């Protein structure tokens, strides 16, 4: 069962955000640690222990052990993309300027700074970087992600008529 999970986890698409190799290595390491913990939980459960007995042995909360067992695997950590609330009043203006061909973060920051923007240049640079990745015809939140294991489990447990 663990080998099945490992195969599934490797087949799952990773978010395509620009990250540093150091951060990728850290995330892989933590994912492997969670996978090893889950394998240990399975071994202890297969040896006849209850979640209440497993939790103190591996240093986890009982509820966490129960959740992992119910979900059929270790959690998948996906952070939602960071969104600056400071940018909201200026998004329409930035989109308009972007469509006009202005893709320079410093220039855009200078323009919205004169219009009352209180954020930093880095905030605008992040927006321009994300905007460059997005196809020109795509709406702002068009990234589709497959459902998590937990969502799949919930969908499969619901009666089909209640989902429509």
């Amino acid at each position: 069962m663990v080998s099945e999970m490992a195969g599934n986890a490797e087949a799952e698409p990773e978010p395509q955000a620009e990250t540093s190799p150091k951060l990728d290595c850290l995330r892989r390491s933590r994912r492997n640690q969670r996978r090893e913990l889950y394998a240990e939980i399975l071994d202890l459960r297969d040896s006849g222990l209850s979640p209440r007995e497993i939790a103190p042995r591996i240093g986890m909360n009982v509820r966490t052990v129960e959740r992992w067992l119910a979900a059929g695997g270790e959690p998948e950590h996906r952070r939602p993309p960071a969104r600056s609330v400071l940018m909201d009043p200026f998004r329409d203006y930035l989109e308009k300027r972007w469509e006009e061909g202005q893709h320079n973060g410093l220039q855009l920051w200078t323009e919205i700074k004169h219009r009352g923007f209180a954020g930093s240049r880095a905030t605008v640079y992040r927006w321009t970087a994300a905007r460059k990745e997005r196809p020109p015809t795509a709406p702002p939140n068009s990234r589709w992600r497959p459902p998590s294991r937990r969502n799949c489990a919930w969908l499969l447990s619901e009666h089909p008529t209640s989902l429509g």
Side-chain angles (χ1 to χ4, degrees):
M1 179 166 204
V2 175
S3 62
E4 285 178 26
M5 270 190 38
N8 290 344
E10 291 170 5
E12 291 174 3
E14 289 292 317
Q16 296 298 319
E18 286 291 321
T19 57
S20 70
K22 205 174 195 180
L23 183 59
D24 287 339
C25 182
L26 178 64
R27 287 179 177 163
R28 255 192 318 277
S29 168
R30 289 188 176 157
R31 191 178 312 122
N32 289 336
Q33 287 173 350
R34 288 191 304 270
R35 196 170 291 138
E36 288 168 8
L37 265 175
Y38 181 69
E40 190 175 347
I41 289 171
L42 287 179
D43 290 343
L44 291 170
R45 188 190 61 183
D46 291 344
S47 68
L49 296 178
S50 70
R52 212 173 270 285
E53 296 166 316
I54 294 171
R57 288 187 184 211
I58 60 172
M60 290 176 78
N61 185 290
V62 176
R63 183 65 189 119
T64 304
V65 172
E66 292 170 341
R67 242 188 359 257
W68 284 24
L69 287 170
E74 75 279 357
E76 299 169 25
H77 293 283
R78 289 189 189 146
R79 287 189 181 91
R83 180 171 175 200
S84 173
V85 181
L86 291 172
M87 295 282 286
D88 286 345
F90 304 96
R91 284 190 197 281
D92 291 338
Y93 177 78
L94 288 170
E95 285 292 340
K96 178 180 146 260
R97 292 293 288 135
W98 189 269
E99 295 303 319
E100 292 171 355
Q102 181 55 263
H103 298 178
N104 182 299
L106 179 60
Q107 178 62 35
L108 291 170
W109 175 76
T110 304
E111 291 176 18
I112 63 174
K113 189 80 172 163
H114 292 299
R115 293 171 166 261
F117 179 65
S120 68
R121 287 185 309 222
T123 303
V124 178
Y125 292 158
R126 280 191 299 274
W127 182 86
T128 57
R131 189 64 180 83
K132 285 175 185 173
E133 291 175 4
R134 196 171 75 209
T137 58
N141 295 324
S142 66
R143 274 187 55 185
W144 178 84
R145 281 196 214 152
S148 67
R149 286 186 219 154
R150 181 176 285 171
N151 285 349
C152 286
W154 178 82
L155 286 168
L156 291 171
S157 69
E158 288 295 305
H159 193 274
T161 57
S162 69
L163 297 175

